[in-house]
Amino acid sequence: MNRSRRDVVVVGGRVAGSATAMLLARLGHDVIVVDQASFPSDTTSTHSIARSGVVQLQRWGLLDAVLDSGAPATRQVKFHALGESVSRTIRHKAGVGLVVSPRRYVLDTILAAAAERAGAEVRQGITVTGVHRDRRGRVAGVYGHDRGGAPVEIGARYVIGADGLRSRVAHSAGAAISEARPAGGATQYAYYAGIQWTGMELFVAERSFAGVFPTHHGQACIWVCTPSADAQAARRRTGSRVEAFGELLERSAPQLTERLRHARRTSPVQGMLRMPNQVRQAFGPGWALVGDAGYHRDAVTAHGISDAFRDAEFLAVAVDQALGGGAEETAALALYQRQRDQALREIFEITCRLAAYPAVSAFIELQKQLSAAIDSEAAALASWPVPGDRLLATA
Ligand SMILES: Cc1cc2nc3c(=O)[nH]c(=O)nc-3n(C[C@H](O)[C@H](O)[C@H](O)COP(=O)(O)OP(=O)(O)OC[C@H]3O[C@@H](n4cnc5c(N)ncnc54)[C@H](O)[C@@H]3O)c2cc1C
């Protein structure tokens, strides 16, 4: 039996988990991250990082590593709707003038490496199967197994579930879903090479939203969001995922489909149907949730990575307070939950409305609201003190 005891064990080492672990380690805590996956590896997700998420990468000193990985800085967005195309330059606001779409196998590896550099231990290939509790019922660690099936037990003062939508930590700790909205949306995507992409493109049409996120190696992630019912109907009609994707894309963005005839698809079509829109209770005695484990929204707003980065920081500050005695545990974690719930509200509401695919004019109006909400979140994040900055400067 492999046993150890830490200040914090984080389950899940991608955008939410590694970011939280990095910040806690920078604040001086003894942190271990476990993930059943190995890095670098991909996960089902397109990967445009909104301005709010880019601000976090910059504040944490990781934006250069993301750009140096070859993820192109995107400074132009072309918006196609109602027969018109409008190009916009991304303005310099909240300290950044770009967005970026790094592949997840690159981004998540950069974050896990940053957590390790900060002093966290990152153990890959560990599957957590449950949390264990002490005699008072407080969560006091996790148990699971490694790839060879050997049992693993890690005791910790705090267990953080950053283990995604189907969080084992949430399930095992008994985290309640506090809010659930209809889960009607689907997002599907594939990678294409062989075309010069000049920037991000977005196409709005009846019951669909499609686009281009330029990424590494001259490739682009081409995606289409629709109601799940439409995606399923296309699949039934065509009989294959690739053809269904082509049909939905043709309906959403015929000009893009035409351009893609000169491109080469370099991946299978992937995606998710019936994406949940839900918020879970964020904490309990000895545990907390961050990222998709605690809050999941349809991908139509492409804001999950940025949500994870924001909430990682709220949570790291709260757990630091609780561990250091700066605040009583329940007060610190209740503040985390309040901050998260308040911060997610505006974009969650916009997401749910977009995922219901209103008429094109209403969809465009909601996109404008989304852009303003992201800008105001980015401005707020840019004004926060960076956790661990003082400690890093004196190290
Ligand atoms: C189709 C699609 C498109 C998207 N597009 C975008 C986009 O363009 N921009 C954007 O910002 N967001 C996007 N998102 C949302 C984004 O992918 C998520 O919000 C984000 O991945 C959440 O990160 P996370 O770290 O919370 O969880 P995850 O990325 O799900 O990571 C969870 C980790 O936990 C590990 N894990 C799970 N269970 C266990 C266990 N029992 N034991 C050990 N390890 C475990 C997993 O191996 C995984 O590595 C999209 C999502 C989807 C589905």
Side-chain angles (χ1 to χ4, degrees):
M1 167 78 71
N2 190 334
R3 278 206 180 94
S4 62
R5 182 159 177 84
R6 307 303 182 97
D7 288 342
V8 181
V9 56
V10 180
V11 183
R14 294 192 185 270
V15 289
S18 281
T20 308
M22 174 192 75
L23 295 171
L24 279 166
R26 285 181 181 181
L27 287 162
H29 301 294
D30 176 17
V31 185
I32 182 168
V33 183
V34 294
D35 199 303
Q36 63 195 8
S38 299
F39 300 110
S41 62
D42 236 328
T43 184
T44 303
S45 175
T46 68
H47 33 77
S48 172
I49 308 181
R51 187 191 294 277
S52 37
V54 177
V55 165
Q56 292 298 73
L57 288 171
Q58 183 171 63
R59 292 174 61 248
W60 299 340
L62 300 178
L63 183 56
D64 286 347
V66 171
L67 297 175
D68 290 348
S69 75
T74 297
R75 296 193 165 86
Q76 289 288 327
V77 181
K78 205 166 190 181
F79 207 81
H80 310 263
L82 300 170
E84 285 183 25
S85 296
V86 184
S87 256
R88 296 246 185 280
T89 300
I90 293 176
R91 279 186 281 164
H92 203 88
K93 287 186 199 165
V96 298
L98 59 93
V99 293
V100 64
S101 302
R103 289 289 298 261
R104 289 295 297 270
Y105 71 83
V106 176
L107 176 68
D108 298 352
T109 305
I110 288 172
L111 287 159
E116 272 183 328
R117 270 199 312 282
E121 182 184 351
V122 179
R123 282 177 68 190
Q124 308 175 26
I126 304 290
T127 300
V128 166
T129 47
V131 299
H132 64 74
R133 296 175 187 269
D134 66 14
R135 269 175 286 136
R136 292 167 303 148
R138 179 188 168 87
V139 167
V142 297
Y143 58 86
H145 56 81
D146 68 14
R147 284 220 177 93
V152 173
E153 257 188 50
I154 304 169
R157 287 174 67 188
Y158 291 98
V159 172
I160 293 180
D163 47 346
L165 174 61
R166 280 170 266 284
S167 170
R168 170 61 59 169
V169 173
H171 183 76
S172 183
I177 292 180
S178 50
E179 184 172 358
R181 304 286 191 83
T187 297
Q188 295 174 81
Y189 63 97
Y191 294 91
Y192 286 79
I195 297 191
Q196 288 282 337
W197 306 101
T198 50
M200 184 188 289
E201 295 191 51
L202 303 171
F203 298 80
V204 183
E206 266 326 307
R207 294 170 69 81
S208 74
F209 186 41
V212 177
F213 294 155
T215 188
H216 304 266
H217 313 300
Q219 300 197 22
C221 175
I222 307 293
W223 50 270
V224 59
C225 300
T226 59
S228 290
D230 296 24
Q232 285 164 310
R235 182 73 186 275
R236 279 194 299 274
R237 264 194 308 277
T238 58
S240 96
R241 207 179 247 213
V242 170
E243 284 173 56
F245 180 67
E247 184 185 288
L248 293 173
L249 207 56
E250 171 80 44
R251 191 183 88 190
S252 319
Q255 316 96 299
L256 178 59
T257 313
E258 188 48 43
R259 274 189 275 154
L260 289 176
R261 292 194 207 295
H262 308 286
R264 182 167 43 87
R265 185 168 51 79
T266 58
S267 75
V269 172
Q270 300 162 72
M272 196 191 262
L273 300 178
R274 295 180 299 280
M275 276 182 276
N277 288 299
Q278 67 185 29
V279 183
R280 277 200 183 107
Q281 172 191 354
F283 76 101
W287 63 270
L289 302 176
V290 68
D292 279 7
Y295 163 47
H296 193 274
R297 82 312 298 134
D298 193 286
V300 69
T301 36
H303 206 258
I305 297 168
S306 304
D307 286 326
F309 286 168
R310 179 198 63 220
D311 296 341
E313 191 162 329
F314 281 139
L315 179 57
V317 170
V319 171
D320 174 57
Q321 290 274 306
L323 280 166
E328 191 269 322
E329 171 183 310
T330 310
L333 291 175
L335 176 62
Y336 160 58
Q337 178 165 289
R338 274 202 307 282
Q339 288 173 321
R340 180 200 68 169
D341 290 356
Q342 207 170 25
L344 67 79
R345 181 53 46 194
E346 188 176 5
I347 295 179
F348 186 41
E349 295 297 337
I350 294 171
T351 306
C352 294
R353 291 171 67 192
L354 283 168
Y357 294 90
V360 169
S361 54
F363 196 97
I364 294 170
E365 188 48 44
L366 285 165
Q367 284 291 331
K368 289 182 186 159
Q369 289 175 25
L370 174 65
S371 175
I374 289 173
D375 281 355
S376 78
E377 180 170 282
L381 293 169
S383 71
W384 294 358
V386 182
D389 224 15
R390 195 177 47 80
L391 295 177
L392 280 182
T394 53

